[in-house]
Amino acid sequence: MVASMSTVTVDSEDAGNLATFWAAVLDWEVGPGATAEFAAIGGARRPRDSPSLMFVRVPEAKAGRNRWHLDLSVEDLEGEVERLVGLGARLLHRKSEDGATWVTLGDPEGNEFCVAAPHELTSEIE
């Protein structure tokens, strides 16, 4: 048997607040009973092959750069970056390399994530 990914868990300062941000980013739903201690997002709009996201409050603040992050693929890169900044993301940098163009953003708690236009590497993996 091969393992399958069901949930990605994110440490947070305020689980409910971060879940609300990410639910808006992905157009998913915040699960019932979300609090500052624990929250999850998913729901009917989550694609069946995507893991849900769970947020858990931890006592320590984020320190340094993420060891890994989420990459989001969008058709309208500049429009999506503008939307995400409007939701509370912070623009960190823009980059183009090897035919790929992406923007690195920080969520409200400083977790980095990238938003990219579709590119060859993405289609090779899928």
Side-chain angles (χ1 to χ4, degrees):
M1 174 159 179
V2 175
S4 63
M5 192 179 318
S6 63
T7 305
V8 174
T9 302
V10 180
D11 291 348
S12 61
E13 294 174 23
D14 183 330
N17 186 54
L18 205 53
T20 299
F21 169 80
W22 279 101
V25 167
L26 297 170
D27 191 31
W28 292 2
E29 301 165 18
V30 177
T35 66
E37 300 293 323
F38 174 84
I41 67 170
R45 293 188 302 263
R46 178 179 63 89
R48 293 180 59 83
D49 60 348
S50 292
S52 60
L53 293 177
M54 185 168 55
F55 303 87
V56 179
R57 180 184 227 165
V58 295
E60 64 277 353
K62 180 184 177 298
R65 185 180 164 150
N66 295 8
R67 297 297 298 249
W68 64 280
H69 64 262
L70 298 177
D71 289 340
L72 308 177
S73 181
V74 298
E75 294 296 325
D76 176 8
L77 180 59
E78 294 309 316
E80 187 63 5
V81 167
E82 184 177 322
R83 182 181 83 86
L84 297 174
V85 168
L87 291 173
R90 186 173 48 103
L91 179 67
L92 299 177
H93 64 81
R94 298 173 182 275
K95 187 136 183 179
S96 290
E97 188 175 284
D98 297 328
T101 299
W102 68 94
V103 177
T104 302
L105 300 162
D107 73 14
E109 292 191 6
N111 300 300
E112 297 90 2
F113 64 101
C114 292
V115 181
H119 55 281
E120 200 169 303
L121 178 59
T122 303
S123 60
E124 287 176 9
I125 294 171
E126 294 171 359

